[in-house]
Amino acid sequence: MEAIGQLTGGVAHDFNNLLQILSGNLQLLQRRVHEPDDVKRISASLGAVDRGAKLAAQLLAFARRQPLEPRAIHLGRMVREMDDLLRRALGEAIEVETVIAGGLWNTMTDPDQVQNAILNLAVNARDAMGGGGRLTIEAGNAMLDDHYAMRHEDVKPGQYVMLAVSDTGSGMTPEVLEKVFEPFFTTKREGSGTGLGLSMVYGFVKQSQGHIKIYSEPGQGTTVRIYLPRTLAAEEILTDLSAAPVENGTETILVVEDDPVVQATVVDLLKDLGYTVLRASDGQSALTLARSGIPIDLLFTDVVMPGPVRSPDLARQVQAMLPGIGVLFTSGYTENAIVHGGRLDPGVNLLSKPYRREDLARKVRHTLNNRRQAQGAQARAVVPPPPAQAPATVPPASTLQGLRVLLVEDDPLIQMDCEDMLTGLGCRVSTARDGRSALRELGRGSFEVLFTDIGLPGISGVELAQQAVLDDPALQVIFASGFGPRSGADGSRPSVPGAQFVSKPYGPAELEAALRRARGV
Ligand SMILES: Nc1ncnc2c1ncn2[C@@H]1O[C@H](COP(=O)(O)OP(=O)(O)OP(=O)(O)O)[C@@H](O)[C@H]1O
Ligand SMILES: [Mg+2]
């Protein structure tokens, strides 16, 4: 496994760089070409890039080398949310039934990869049920005891959340069953199966400290059971970045990338999005540029780079020099620089290669918006506070006078700034850094408004608000989010009735407007 991992990782790194060059240039061309035949050729080529990317991702998954981003999730909710997708993938002839046990525990796992696994199992089931049949997805709590653990390799006894996918299809012979997890093992005819589906699922489950078991007999159908470790953490509500709008920008971005062709492509993509771009081929020259005093808003760096300065060190040093700078990592394969124990280090922003222009645009915008909020805080910090009598001379402000607000924000700089703004509006403010301490704070005093960031460590702002409103239905909620102006009520699910949204970066005016909307004044 170790050797396969190294091999796959090494190939994936170079392979994804190649794909990045192809995909970036094709997309730049796509915007210039209008001749219908050429347009078709370009989209066929982009389709091939996607297939290549999928292949590399599946191999990395099998080798247990993909950077997982585990979150506390409720598998039942996830399965229900996939309903449409599954029905479309399976077609009319197959009936789908989902059975979610009551009181289902949460599990700590990478949501995208679980979805991927479920989809793979469902497609296998579809293929095994040529003429139609029934697919059943079940989720339930499970205990794997010592006895079971002893009889199965690599299983730790304990509490798990079990996900089972069953079909009424052809089933498998023992000979096939023995080989299904092997990469490239397939019984499908050439062109219709790569034989990587179950290998990927297997790798993912193992990397997640889970367990997988298949029951199948010819003519009797198949059941695949996946066990993922239980977590006691509260469910995290996920914000879907892919729903965010694609926006341009004018900030300055320092691109650090050692492969000259990849560098040229990325620089062109970013310029095409309106950004000013500086470039460096290694950590050392990037540091020199940062030291020169040129204002830089975002460091966009490859993870794997030649030379003595490793990318995490580069990020740290640049952040120390230019406080408030945004950092976005990119890689075709992350090795161990920013991934530890199979998961991405907390707080690390990663865009995996190859990426599309839209992914790049969204991720850059998102990172910059969060950063601009922090920087606005610094800029405002040097402005003297308004004279104490100011609010009194503006009569409408009095409706916010003395309003008790709990502010929840994990970035200390943004928190300080926002507290100042709220106090400037006449509010009485308490603060918390995360959901748990916020709930404690809410239990202690009576608050009229909860103003919370959506992305918080531990439980999310949305989860916090839902709990808080249950405890105190009169509480008004305002969410702050870094996902750009158009996300919000529909971009963040599920919503909290009557909640207001402000998008980062916000200033006192936006904040006041949101408070007034929340108060209905
Ligand atoms: N639900 C099932 N019923 C019957 N046979 C199955 C089922 N799932 C998998 N198999 C068998 O296991 C083999 C390997 O499955 P796997 O998902 O790894 O690859 P594939 O489906 O052939 O190709 P790919 O998923 O890469 O498109 C299949 O070719 C099939 O023979
Ligand atoms: Mg398959």
Side-chain angles (χ1 to χ4, degrees):
M1 256 344 268
E2 193 53 34
I4 291 177
Q6 295 231 329
L7 181 67
T8 324
V11 173
H13 175 246
D14 289 353
F15 188 63
N16 283 331
N17 264 344
L18 300 181
L19 289 178
Q20 185 57 52
I21 297 170
L22 290 173
S23 131
N25 285 301
L26 285 167
Q27 287 183 85
L28 285 164
L29 271 182
Q30 196 175 35
R31 295 160 57 75
R32 258 165 249 166
V33 164
H34 303 288
E35 168 67 33
D37 274 354
D38 292 345
V39 171
K40 246 190 253 160
R41 279 194 189 96
I42 292 179
S43 53
S45 312
L46 275 171
V49 169
D50 282 348
R51 272 167 60 190
K54 192 172 159 212
L55 186 66
Q58 285 175 320
L59 284 173
L60 276 183
F62 168 69
R64 307 174 203 174
R65 293 289 172 117
Q66 59 185 342
L68 294 180
E69 283 186 76
R71 308 273 177 81
I73 60 167
H74 187 270
L75 267 185
R77 197 174 334 278
M78 165 146 293
V79 169
R80 282 201 204 97
E81 280 174 3
M82 288 182 70
D83 204 56
D84 269 356
L85 182 69
L86 285 173
R87 275 177 215 279
R88 252 180 288 135
L90 293 168
E92 305 265 291
I94 293 172
E95 218 184 299
V96 185
E97 195 183 347
T98 38
V99 186
I100 312 295
L104 189 71
W105 295 331
N106 289 337
T107 173
M108 188 61 87
T109 189
D110 185 310
D112 291 341
Q113 296 312 317
V114 184
Q115 285 206 1
N116 222 336
I118 295 174
L119 200 59
N120 262 297
L121 297 177
V123 168
N124 280 350
R126 177 198 67 192
D127 294 348
M129 297 188 283
R134 193 168 68 245
L135 178 89
T136 312
I137 303 183
E138 287 166 88
N141 299 336
M143 286 284 293
L144 297 183
D145 55 19
D146 293 335
H147 184 62
Y148 186 92
M150 238 154 28
R151 281 181 300 135
H152 294 86
E153 209 184 326
D154 251 10
V155 175
K156 267 201 236 118
Q159 297 179 315
Y160 291 82
V161 176
M162 189 267 313
L163 178 86
V165 179
S166 311
D167 63 59
T168 54
S170 60
M172 287 178 255
T173 62
E175 294 74 41
V176 170
L177 196 51
E178 201 176 301
K179 291 206 171 73
V180 285
F181 293 134
E182 286 175 17
F184 301 111
F185 173 80
T186 180
T187 58
K188 295 174 187 169
R189 57 183 168 71
E190 188 137 345
S192 48
T194 53
L196 283 172
L198 284 177
S199 326
M200 191 215 87
V201 174
Y202 182 80
F204 158 68
V205 170
K206 287 287 172 192
Q207 196 181 335
S208 308
Q209 273 88 50
H211 172 58
I212 181 167
K213 177 104 183 157
I214 303 186
Y215 304 85
S216 185
E217 262 177 65
Q220 301 299 314
T222 301
T223 295
V224 183
R225 288 209 171 132
I226 292 177
Y227 298 84
L228 294 164
R230 176 191 187 181
T231 178
L232 293 171
E235 180 187 7
E236 278 183 64
I237 304 295
L238 312 166
T239 8
D240 186 6
L241 201 53
S242 69
V246 174
E247 287 175 275
N248 291 17
T250 53
E251 287 90 340
T252 301
I253 302 178
L254 171 56
V255 172
V256 192
E257 166 67 60
D258 58 312
D259 183 312
V261 192
V262 175
Q263 192 194 77
T265 314
V266 177
V267 168
D268 286 349
L269 280 173
L270 286 169
K271 281 188 177 160
D272 192 57
L273 287 165
Y275 295 101
T276 302
V277 187
L278 306 169
R279 54 176 95 195
S281 302
D282 55 52
Q284 211 102 50
S285 34
L287 280 176
T288 313
L289 265 172
R291 242 178 245 125
S292 72
I294 305 174
I296 302 169
D297 301 288
L298 178 75
L299 172 70
F300 182 45
T301 177
D302 198 15
V303 174
V304 187
M305 262 188 318
V309 185
R310 292 168 66 254
S311 58
D313 299 331
L314 170 65
R316 232 166 281 133
Q317 293 190 41
V318 169
Q319 274 175 319
M321 262 186 271
L322 306 167
I325 191 173
V327 176
L328 179 57
F329 289 99
T330 178
S331 180
Y333 168 58
T334 44
E335 283 180 351
N336 298 322
I338 56 172
V339 175
H340 292 98
R343 52 159 72 189
L344 218 51
D345 290 348
V348 164
N349 239 334
L350 175 72
L351 179 63
S352 291
K353 290 182 200 170
Y355 45 81
R356 294 204 159 227
R357 182 178 170 275
E358 297 82 55
D359 305 330
L360 176 69
R362 288 193 186 104
K363 201 83 182 190
V364 163
R365 202 57 263 152
H366 178 62
T367 315
L368 280 168
N369 284 353
N370 271 334
R371 181 211 68 108
R372 265 177 34 210
Q373 188 64 45
Q375 210 188 31
Q378 280 180 311
R380 274 189 292 272
V382 294
V383 178
Q389 70 273 26
T393 61
V394 190
S398 58
T399 42
L400 303 177
Q401 205 67 44
L403 193 69
R404 279 152 304 166
V405 180
L406 177 64
L407 162 67
V408 193
E409 165 67 60
D410 58 324
D411 184 311
L413 211 56
I414 300 179
Q415 188 188 88
M416 245 162 54
D417 180 48
C418 183
E419 190 178 352
D420 288 352
M421 286 193 260
L422 286 167
T423 321
L425 289 168
C427 304
R428 285 193 292 162
V429 189
S430 301
T431 58
R433 287 273 164 87
D434 58 54
R436 277 184 213 298
S437 32
L439 285 173
R440 263 199 307 278
E441 202 63 36
L442 284 168
R444 238 179 253 146
S446 62
F447 290 93
E448 286 145 300
V449 176
L450 169 68
F451 181 76
T452 178
D453 194 21
I454 289 185
L456 290 173
I459 70 173
S460 82
V462 179
E463 173 97 19
L464 161 66
Q466 286 169 333
Q467 186 58 49
V469 170
L470 271 185
D471 297 343
D472 174 12
L475 189 72
Q476 283 141 350
V477 177
I478 305 177
F479 289 115
S481 107
F483 282 89
R486 258 176 297 154
S487 77
D490 46 349
S492 52
R493 37 178 190 145
S495 64
V496 174
Q500 300 297 322
F501 291 82
V502 285
S503 54
K504 294 177 180 178
Y506 52 81
E510 288 85 359
L511 200 55
E512 184 178 347
L515 282 168
R516 288 192 184 287
R517 283 198 307 273
R519 304 289 292 163
V521 291

